[in-house]
Amino acid sequence: QVQLVESGGGLVQPGGSLRLSCAAAGTILMLDRMGWYRQAPGKERELVAAISRDGSTNYGDSVKGRFTISRDNAKNTMYLQMNSLKPEDTAVYYCNARLTTWSQRYLEVWGQGTLVTVSS
């Protein structure tokens, strides 16, 4: 069994910063691509940022230059540093991972989500 656990969400003022973490646990042989997605009320889920195992990254246009994604393969953990936050960044942020389990199954797994609210 595999699970992703997000942490670090909360309330922050416009212009502030937050750091999200996503820890993968369970019968994981290897983590492949990982990413952060977000969903605001009344909107579709969108890609925020993604990172491959070798560290290649891509970002959604709305967060380029403000957010930074990173990962620690030794800890099976991914991070999202969010700077210069705007009210429109308010959303539930979800961690996503593609991975291989000990039993050689290739899975795509989602975390439960963490709420980020940007408001004064």
Side-chain angles (χ1 to χ4, degrees):
Q1 190 166 352
V2 175
Q3 65 179 71
L4 303 177
V5 179
E6 300 109 331
S7 60
L11 174 64
V12 63
Q13 292 187 341
S17 298
L18 278 177
R19 188 191 195 208
L20 304 183
S21 298
C22 171
T27 56
I28 300 169
L29 181 62
M30 187 180 71
L31 281 170
D32 195 354
R33 177 188 180 276
M34 301 183 74
W36 290 97
Y37 291 75
R38 67 185 182 187
Q39 187 166 20
K43 294 188 176 181
E44 293 186 355
R45 190 172 296 190
E46 64 174 355
L47 173 70
V48 176
I51 184 167
S52 65
R53 183 168 180 81
D54 66 2
S56 299
T57 60
N58 65 287
Y59 294 89
D61 288 342
S62 62
V63 306
K64 285 180 181 177
R66 299 188 298 122
F67 291 10
T68 302
I69 190 171
S70 61
R71 63 190 287 172
D72 185 334
N73 290 331
K75 296 182 179 179
N76 282 349
T77 302
M78 173 180 64
Y79 307 95
L80 184 68
Q81 178 66 42
M82 304 186 292
N83 298 327
S84 302
L85 282 160
K86 305 175 182 180
E88 51 264 43
D89 293 318
T90 296
V92 177
Y93 284 68
Y94 296 92
C95 172
N96 172 274
R98 299 171 187 174
L99 55 93
T100 302
T101 67
W102 291 354
S103 58
Q104 301 296 315
R105 295 178 63 198
Y106 193 74
L107 302 177
E108 182 172 17
V109 184
W110 290 89
Q112 80 287 353
T114 185
L115 177 62
V116 172
T117 303
V118 184
S119 175
S120 55

XYZ file of all heavy atoms in Angstrom, residues 23-105:
656
model
N 5.180 13.712 1.374
C 5.978 12.549 1.734
C 5.280 11.291 1.247
O 4.097 11.073 1.540
C 6.177 12.496 3.245
N 6.015 10.469 0.523
C 5.478 9.195 0.026
C 5.912 8.071 0.952
O 7.075 8.011 1.352
C 5.976 8.936 -1.382
N 4.960 7.205 1.289
C 5.264 6.112 2.197
C 4.577 4.836 1.727
O 3.552 4.892 1.049
C 4.791 6.459 3.602
N 5.167 3.711 2.092
C 4.572 2.426 1.742
C 5.552 1.558 0.978
O 6.756 1.749 1.022
N 4.993 0.637 0.210
C 5.797 -0.358 -0.497
C 6.288 0.196 -1.824
O 5.945 -0.293 -2.900
C 4.977 -1.631 -0.717
O 3.775 -1.284 -1.422
C 4.616 -2.289 0.596
N 7.140 1.219 -1.742
C 7.614 1.929 -2.924
C 9.001 1.445 -3.318
O 9.932 1.510 -2.521
C 7.666 3.438 -2.652
C 6.265 3.958 -2.304
C 8.209 4.183 -3.875
C 6.269 5.374 -1.769
N 9.120 0.978 -4.539
C 10.423 0.596 -5.062
C 11.136 1.831 -5.628
O 12.314 2.047 -5.364
C 10.281 -0.467 -6.140
C 11.568 -0.994 -6.771
C 12.428 -1.671 -5.715
C 11.257 -1.941 -7.922
N 10.393 2.618 -6.397
C 10.984 3.813 -6.982
C 9.893 4.833 -7.332
O 8.874 4.489 -7.925
C 11.768 3.486 -8.249
C 12.548 4.662 -8.795
S 13.472 4.256 -10.289
C 12.132 4.085 -11.460
N 10.153 6.089 -6.961
C 9.272 7.180 -7.349
C 9.717 7.725 -8.695
O 10.902 7.999 -8.895
C 9.317 8.295 -6.310
C 8.517 8.091 -5.035
C 8.871 9.157 -4.020
C 7.024 8.130 -5.329
N 8.774 7.909 -9.588
C 9.076 8.470 -10.909
C 8.691 9.952 -10.888
O 9.071 10.679 -9.980
C 8.325 7.670 -11.969
C 8.834 7.914 -13.373
O 9.698 8.788 -13.552
O 8.373 7.234 -14.300
N 7.927 10.386 -11.863
C 7.494 11.776 -11.923
C 6.615 12.119 -10.734
O 5.763 11.333 -10.336
C 6.733 12.017 -13.223
C 6.156 13.415 -13.406
C 5.276 13.425 -14.635
N 4.673 14.699 -14.923
C 3.543 15.133 -14.353
N 2.916 14.398 -13.482
N 3.040 16.328 -14.684
N 6.799 13.312 -10.164
C 5.951 13.822 -9.089
C 5.479 15.217 -9.468
O 6.152 15.914 -10.233
C 6.707 13.866 -7.761
C 7.236 12.521 -7.301
S 8.038 12.594 -5.692
C 6.599 12.749 -4.606
N 4.341 15.587 -8.926
C 3.827 16.903 -9.281
C 2.873 17.452 -8.248
O 2.359 16.727 -7.393
N 2.651 18.743 -8.339
C 1.657 19.446 -7.538
C 0.558 19.949 -8.470
O 0.848 20.533 -9.514
C 2.276 20.635 -6.802
C 3.195 20.270 -5.695
C 4.548 20.194 -5.745
C 2.818 19.900 -4.367
N 5.045 19.811 -4.537
C 4.004 19.626 -3.654
C 1.599 19.791 -3.693
C 4.006 19.240 -2.314
C 1.594 19.418 -2.367
C 2.797 19.144 -1.691
N -0.665 19.723 -8.063
C -1.832 20.227 -8.779
C -2.648 21.035 -7.775
O -2.485 20.889 -6.566
C -2.681 19.074 -9.318
C -2.021 18.307 -10.440
C -0.982 17.411 -10.182
C -2.437 18.464 -11.757
C -0.374 16.715 -11.208
C -1.842 17.763 -12.792
C -0.814 16.891 -12.511
O -0.217 16.203 -13.535
N -3.521 21.879 -8.295
C -4.390 22.615 -7.396
C -5.774 22.745 -8.008
O -5.945 22.693 -9.229
C -3.822 24.006 -7.089
C -3.788 24.968 -8.263
C -3.084 26.261 -7.869
N -3.066 27.226 -8.960
C -2.405 28.384 -8.932
N -1.694 28.707 -7.846
N -2.446 29.192 -9.960
N -6.737 22.906 -7.105
C -8.117 23.083 -7.552
C -8.774 24.140 -6.695
O -8.881 23.985 -5.469
C -8.894 21.766 -7.467
C -10.273 21.853 -8.085
C -10.892 20.491 -8.301
O -10.496 19.496 -7.691
N -11.873 20.412 -9.185
N -9.189 25.221 -7.349
C -9.900 26.295 -6.678
C -11.406 26.034 -6.785
O -11.844 25.314 -7.688
C -9.543 27.631 -7.300
N -12.194 26.614 -5.894
C -13.646 26.400 -5.954
C -14.221 26.776 -7.315
O -13.933 27.850 -7.844
C -14.174 27.337 -4.859
C -13.046 27.462 -3.900
C -11.799 27.433 -4.744
N -14.988 25.861 -7.890
C -15.624 26.122 -9.168
C -14.718 25.999 -10.373
O -15.148 26.284 -11.501
N -13.489 25.576 -10.165
C -12.546 25.460 -11.279
C -12.037 24.035 -11.394
O -12.132 23.247 -10.453
C -11.371 26.422 -11.086
C -11.767 27.889 -11.147
C -10.537 28.778 -11.150
C -10.914 30.242 -11.302
N -9.716 31.118 -11.336
N -11.470 23.737 -12.556
C -10.898 22.417 -12.765
C -9.521 22.320 -12.103
O -8.848 23.324 -11.890
C -10.779 22.134 -14.270
C -12.110 22.003 -14.980
C -11.951 21.578 -16.423
O -10.800 21.478 -16.894
O -12.970 21.347 -17.085
N -9.128 21.088 -11.814
C -7.799 20.869 -11.266
C -6.758 21.205 -12.330
O -6.923 20.835 -13.505
C -7.649 19.412 -10.816
C -6.393 19.133 -10.028
C -6.407 17.730 -9.452
N -7.482 17.539 -8.479
C -7.586 16.457 -7.697
N -6.690 15.492 -7.783
N -8.589 16.348 -6.855
N -5.695 21.894 -11.944
C -4.669 22.297 -12.894
C -3.284 21.946 -12.376
O -3.055 21.888 -11.163
C -4.739 23.807 -13.158
C -4.458 24.678 -11.952
C -4.401 26.152 -12.293
O -4.493 26.527 -13.478
O -4.236 26.958 -11.343
N -2.371 21.763 -13.309
C -0.987 21.491 -12.943
C -0.339 22.768 -12.431
O -0.413 23.814 -13.066
C -0.212 20.976 -14.155
C 1.296 20.817 -13.939
C 1.573 19.657 -12.991
C 2.000 20.617 -15.274
N 0.326 22.646 -11.289
C 1.116 23.746 -10.755
C 2.574 23.584 -11.169
O 3.189 24.485 -11.736
C 1.018 23.806 -9.221
C 1.919 24.902 -8.668
C -0.427 24.020 -8.787
N 3.120 22.411 -10.884
C 4.516 22.132 -11.217
C 4.737 20.631 -11.160
O 4.050 19.920 -10.421
C 5.463 22.828 -10.262
N 5.715 20.171 -11.929
C 6.061 18.749 -11.929
C 7.572 18.606 -11.990
O 8.272 19.505 -12.486
C 5.407 18.032 -13.097
N 8.042 17.464 -11.495
C 9.488 17.219 -11.478
C 9.738 15.742 -11.746
O 9.088 14.864 -11.163
C 10.092 17.669 -10.122
C 11.613 17.519 -10.133
C 9.459 16.941 -8.937
C 12.290 18.229 -8.954
N 10.672 15.477 -12.619
C 11.039 14.095 -12.915
C 12.051 13.602 -11.882
O 12.553 14.374 -11.061
C 11.642 13.999 -14.314
O 12.867 14.715 -14.352
N 12.355 12.317 -11.959
C 13.279 11.751 -10.989
C 14.664 12.389 -11.095
O 15.361 12.544 -10.093
C 13.378 10.234 -11.163
C 14.267 9.574 -10.120
C 14.140 8.082 -10.099
N 15.006 7.501 -9.083
C 14.707 7.441 -7.792
N 13.547 7.905 -7.368
N 15.559 6.910 -6.930
N 15.040 12.769 -12.319
C 16.373 13.365 -12.483
C 16.383 14.874 -12.247
O 17.428 15.516 -12.420
C 16.920 13.057 -13.892
C 16.119 13.733 -14.985
O 15.167 14.478 -14.692
O 16.434 13.503 -16.173
N 15.233 15.423 -11.865
C 15.187 16.835 -11.481
C 14.690 17.790 -12.545
O 14.616 19.002 -12.297
N 14.317 17.300 -13.717
C 13.748 18.180 -14.738
C 12.393 18.684 -14.268
O 11.591 17.921 -13.731
C 13.588 17.421 -16.051
O 14.836 16.968 -16.509
N 12.142 19.969 -14.500
C 10.921 20.580 -13.977
C 10.103 21.258 -15.064
O 10.639 21.640 -16.113
C 11.246 21.629 -12.903
O 12.073 22.649 -13.482
C 11.982 21.007 -11.732
N 8.824 21.394 -14.807
C 7.988 22.265 -15.636
C 6.927 22.884 -14.733
O 6.532 22.293 -13.710
C 7.363 21.537 -16.823
C 6.387 20.462 -16.444
O 6.782 19.415 -15.974
N 5.100 20.720 -16.641
N 6.491 24.083 -15.103
C 5.592 24.875 -14.273
C 4.397 25.372 -15.076
O 4.494 25.617 -16.274
C 6.327 26.096 -13.713
C 7.440 25.775 -12.753
C 8.736 25.559 -13.199
C 7.186 25.675 -11.389
C 9.763 25.252 -12.314
C 8.195 25.378 -10.498
C 9.482 25.168 -10.963
O 10.483 24.867 -10.072
N 3.281 25.539 -14.367
C 2.157 26.226 -14.976
C 2.511 27.687 -15.194
O 3.285 28.263 -14.421
N 1.938 28.280 -16.227
C 2.299 29.653 -16.579
C 2.037 30.635 -15.436
O 2.785 31.603 -15.256
C 1.513 30.091 -17.822
C 1.998 29.411 -19.085
O 3.132 28.884 -19.078
O 1.255 29.396 -20.080
N 1.000 30.394 -14.661
C 0.615 31.359 -13.631
C 1.556 31.375 -12.430
O 1.493 32.300 -11.617
C -0.812 31.064 -13.150
O -0.882 29.779 -12.564
N 2.429 30.379 -12.309
C 3.310 30.318 -11.136
C 4.779 30.447 -11.490
O 5.631 30.478 -10.596
C 3.080 29.025 -10.331
C 1.606 28.861 -9.975
C 3.608 27.806 -11.075
N 5.090 30.527 -12.766
C 6.493 30.624 -13.180
C 7.146 31.851 -12.559
O 6.575 32.942 -12.566
C 6.587 30.696 -14.705
C 6.341 29.377 -15.404
C 6.438 29.519 -16.921
C 6.173 28.195 -17.613
N 6.180 28.321 -19.087
N 8.337 31.632 -12.013
C 9.070 32.722 -11.393
C 8.712 32.966 -9.937
O 9.400 33.728 -9.251
N 7.637 32.343 -9.470
C 7.226 32.530 -8.073
C 7.326 31.238 -7.259
O 7.612 31.280 -6.068
C 5.782 33.032 -8.014
C 5.566 34.362 -8.694
C 4.158 34.899 -8.444
N 3.112 34.029 -8.987
C 2.144 33.492 -8.260
N 2.065 33.739 -6.968
N 1.232 32.710 -8.828
N 7.057 30.113 -7.888
C 7.067 28.819 -7.202
C 8.284 28.013 -7.654
O 8.707 28.106 -8.803
C 5.817 28.018 -7.536
C 4.529 28.561 -6.964
C 4.458 29.812 -6.365
C 3.360 27.811 -7.039
C 3.275 30.307 -5.846
C 2.175 28.293 -6.522
C 2.134 29.536 -5.943
N 8.789 27.198 -6.731
C 9.900 26.306 -7.049
C 9.599 24.909 -6.526
O 9.320 24.737 -5.336
C 11.208 26.798 -6.425
O 11.490 28.127 -6.896
C 12.362 25.884 -6.806
N 9.672 23.933 -7.411
C 9.456 22.537 -7.022
C 10.804 21.854 -6.865
O 11.759 22.148 -7.597
C 8.588 21.806 -8.069
C 8.156 20.429 -7.568
C 9.299 21.701 -9.415
C 7.119 19.753 -8.461
N 10.891 20.968 -5.888
C 12.123 20.205 -5.669
C 11.766 18.864 -5.045
O 10.616 18.636 -4.635
C 13.085 20.982 -4.766
O 12.495 21.206 -3.492
N 12.720 17.978 -4.981
C 12.484 16.663 -4.387
C 13.758 16.137 -3.762
O 14.861 16.510 -4.160
C 11.944 15.677 -5.421
C 12.889 15.376 -6.570
C 12.191 14.586 -7.663
N 11.947 13.198 -7.285
C 11.217 12.352 -8.012
N 10.627 12.776 -9.127
N 11.058 11.101 -7.623
N 13.578 15.246 -2.795
C 14.678 14.542 -2.142
C 14.393 13.057 -2.336
O 13.555 12.488 -1.620
C 14.742 14.920 -0.668
C 15.933 14.310 0.054
O 16.419 13.246 -0.403
O 16.362 14.860 1.070
N 15.058 12.437 -3.296
C 14.777 11.041 -3.610
C 15.111 10.110 -2.442
O 14.465 9.081 -2.254
C 15.544 10.609 -4.855
C 15.005 11.273 -6.104
O 13.822 11.617 -6.196
N 15.874 11.471 -7.084
N 16.109 10.465 -1.656
C 16.483 9.628 -0.514
C 15.378 9.592 0.536
O 15.246 8.613 1.275
C 17.776 10.127 0.096
N 14.606 10.674 0.619
C 13.526 10.767 1.614
C 12.151 10.527 1.000
O 11.139 10.626 1.704
C 13.558 12.137 2.278
C 14.823 12.415 3.090
C 14.752 13.778 3.745
C 15.991 14.050 4.576
N 15.953 15.395 5.215
N 12.095 10.244 -0.301
C 10.799 10.076 -0.981
C 9.876 11.258 -0.706
O 8.678 11.091 -0.429
C 10.119 8.773 -0.560
C 10.709 7.559 -1.265
O 11.486 7.691 -2.216
N 10.363 6.380 -0.796
N 10.429 12.434 -0.787
C 9.687 13.653 -0.449
C 9.849 14.701 -1.534
O 10.925 14.839 -2.125
C 10.161 14.221 0.899
O 9.982 13.218 1.917
C 9.362 15.442 1.288
N 8.745 15.426 -1.771
C 8.734 16.510 -2.743
C 8.319 17.793 -2.030
O 7.562 17.738 -1.046
C 7.740 16.180 -3.861
C 7.507 17.281 -4.857
S 6.334 16.827 -6.147
C 4.837 16.579 -5.204
N 8.777 18.910 -2.535
C 8.482 20.202 -1.912
C 7.970 21.189 -2.957
O 8.273 21.063 -4.145
C 9.737 20.782 -1.253
C 10.414 19.836 -0.301
C 11.475 19.045 -0.724
C 9.981 19.713 1.017
C 12.102 18.167 0.141
C 10.601 18.835 1.894
C 11.659 18.065 1.452
O 12.263 17.190 2.315
N 7.244 22.181 -2.486
C 6.848 23.298 -3.330
C 7.039 24.578 -2.524
O 6.306 24.817 -1.559
C 5.392 23.171 -3.782
C 4.925 24.251 -4.762
C 5.639 24.088 -6.114
C 3.410 24.207 -4.971
N 8.035 25.359 -2.905
C 8.254 26.654 -2.281
C 7.436 27.691 -3.048
O 7.643 27.870 -4.245
C 9.738 27.025 -2.307
C 10.044 28.383 -1.720
C 9.755 28.456 -0.229
O 10.073 27.523 0.515
N 9.147 29.549 0.210
N 6.528 28.337 -2.349
C 5.629 29.308 -2.980
C 5.930 30.697 -2.434
O 5.774 30.929 -1.225
C 4.179 28.928 -2.701
C 3.824 27.515 -3.134
S 2.070 27.140 -2.959
C 1.916 27.162 -1.180
N 6.368 31.581 -3.295
C 6.684 32.960 -2.917
C 5.760 33.925 -3.650
O 5.113 33.559 -4.632
C 8.135 33.284 -3.252
C 9.126 32.409 -2.502
O 8.880 31.999 -1.370
N 10.249 32.129 -3.138
N 5.714 35.138 -3.152
C 4.890 36.188 -3.778
C 3.474 35.698 -4.027
O 2.919 35.856 -5.120
C 5.531 36.649 -5.093
O 6.840 37.118 -4.880
N 2.900 35.104 -3.021
C 1.574 34.511 -3.171
C 0.513 35.564 -3.443
O 0.568 36.689 -2.917
C 1.226 33.694 -1.936
C 1.901 32.321 -1.885
C 1.919 31.764 -0.475
C 1.220 31.361 -2.840
N -0.465 35.175 -4.264
C -1.562 36.046 -4.660
C -2.884 35.418 -4.231
O -2.968 34.190 -4.087
C -1.554 36.227 -6.171
C -0.246 36.727 -6.757
C -0.326 36.751 -8.279
C 0.987 37.212 -8.884
N 0.910 37.236 -10.378
N -3.912 36.226 -4.068
C -5.220 35.644 -3.713
C -5.678 34.569 -4.700
O -6.318 33.595 -4.288
C -6.154 36.865 -3.737
C -5.264 38.008 -3.375
C -3.941 37.688 -4.032
N -5.326 34.715 -5.957
C -5.722 33.715 -6.945
C -4.972 32.405 -6.817
O -5.289 31.433 -7.531
C -5.574 34.263 -8.374
C -4.233 34.877 -8.680
C -4.227 36.388 -8.518
O -4.808 36.890 -7.528
O -3.626 37.061 -9.381
N -3.994 32.326 -5.935
C -3.325 31.058 -5.645
C -4.107 30.226 -4.627
O -3.750 29.081 -4.352
C -1.913 31.307 -5.089
C -0.983 31.927 -6.106
O -1.011 31.499 -7.279
O -0.226 32.841 -5.736
N -5.156 30.807 -4.081
C -5.983 30.087 -3.111
C -6.613 28.861 -3.757
O -7.277 28.961 -4.793
C -7.082 31.007 -2.559
O -6.475 32.072 -1.830
C -8.031 30.239 -1.649
N -6.375 27.707 -3.144
C -6.866 26.442 -3.701
C -6.493 25.307 -2.765
O -5.703 25.490 -1.833
C -6.260 26.183 -5.075
N -7.038 24.144 -3.044
C -6.544 22.918 -2.422
C -5.426 22.386 -3.315
O -5.619 22.227 -4.524
C -7.648 21.868 -2.267
C -7.076 20.576 -1.683
C -8.769 22.393 -1.383
N -4.280 22.147 -2.716
C -3.112 21.673 -3.446
C -2.953 20.168 -3.223
O -2.951 19.704 -2.077
C -1.868 22.419 -2.984
C -1.791 23.826 -3.534
C -2.696 24.804 -3.118
C -0.859 24.176 -4.511
C -2.656 26.085 -3.640
C -0.804 25.456 -5.030
C -1.713 26.403 -4.594
O -1.671 27.675 -5.123
N -2.809 19.455 -4.324
C -2.708 18.002 -4.285
C -1.341 17.544 -4.781
O -0.839 18.038 -5.786
C -3.771 17.367 -5.169
C -5.185 17.619 -4.727
C -5.910 18.697 -5.222
C -5.819 16.768 -3.822
C -7.218 18.933 -4.824
C -7.134 16.991 -3.424
C -7.811 18.081 -3.929
O -9.112 18.304 -3.532
N -0.825 16.584 -4.080
C 0.419 15.922 -4.489
C 0.071 14.732 -5.381
O -0.909 14.018 -5.131
C 1.140 15.461 -3.223
S 2.580 14.435 -3.491
N 0.874 14.523 -6.396
C 0.678 13.402 -7.326
C 2.006 12.723 -7.568
O 3.042 13.386 -7.673
C 0.103 13.930 -8.643
C 0.042 12.881 -9.732
O 1.012 12.666 -10.457
N -1.086 12.230 -9.854
N 1.975 11.400 -7.653
C 3.212 10.667 -7.920
C 2.946 9.446 -8.772
O 1.921 8.774 -8.612
C 3.880 10.258 -6.615
N 3.863 9.181 -9.667
C 3.864 7.931 -10.427
C 5.031 7.108 -9.899
O 6.134 7.640 -9.720
C 4.013 8.203 -11.918
C 2.875 9.044 -12.467
C 3.122 9.492 -13.881
N 2.087 10.434 -14.312
C 2.112 11.084 -15.458
N 3.105 10.892 -16.309
N 1.140 11.925 -15.767
N 4.759 5.830 -9.615
C 5.774 5.055 -8.922
C 5.664 3.576 -9.240
O 4.649 3.114 -9.772
C 5.624 5.269 -7.405
C 4.236 4.957 -6.833
C 4.162 3.525 -6.335
C 3.884 5.940 -5.736
N 6.728 2.864 -8.897
C 6.756 1.418 -9.008
C 6.788 0.838 -7.601
O 7.592 1.277 -6.762
C 7.995 0.955 -9.792
O 7.978 1.559 -11.081
C 7.997 -0.559 -9.950
N 5.922 -0.125 -7.358
C 5.872 -0.758 -6.043
C 6.834 -1.945 -5.988
O 7.401 -2.374 -6.991
C 4.460 -1.252 -5.719
O 4.151 -2.330 -6.623
C 3.438 -0.148 -5.892
N 6.996 -2.492 -4.765
C 7.849 -3.663 -4.598
C 7.370 -4.831 -5.473
O 8.172 -5.655 -5.891
C 7.831 -4.112 -3.141
C 8.505 -3.171 -2.209
C 9.218 -2.047 -2.533
C 8.529 -3.257 -0.788
N 9.676 -1.441 -1.397
C 9.276 -2.146 -0.322
C 7.988 -4.159 0.146
C 9.492 -1.918 1.045
C 8.211 -3.927 1.485
C 8.962 -2.819 1.921
N 6.063 -4.897 -5.712
C 5.511 -5.994 -6.524
C 5.506 -5.654 -8.010
O 4.818 -6.313 -8.790
C 4.091 -6.322 -6.058
O 3.261 -5.185 -6.155
N 6.279 -4.611 -8.377
C 6.457 -4.238 -9.787
C 5.195 -3.669 -10.435
O 5.071 -3.676 -11.651
C 6.956 -5.429 -10.607
C 8.284 -5.996 -10.124
C 9.433 -5.020 -10.258
O 9.589 -4.358 -11.272
N 10.246 -4.906 -9.210
N 4.297 -3.161 -9.623
C 3.127 -2.478 -10.181
C 3.477 -1.018 -10.394
O 4.144 -0.402 -9.558
C 1.936 -2.596 -9.243
C 1.412 -4.011 -9.045
C 0.274 -3.998 -8.053
N -0.864 -3.224 -8.547
C -1.836 -2.753 -7.770
N -1.814 -2.957 -6.473
N -2.838 -2.071 -8.289
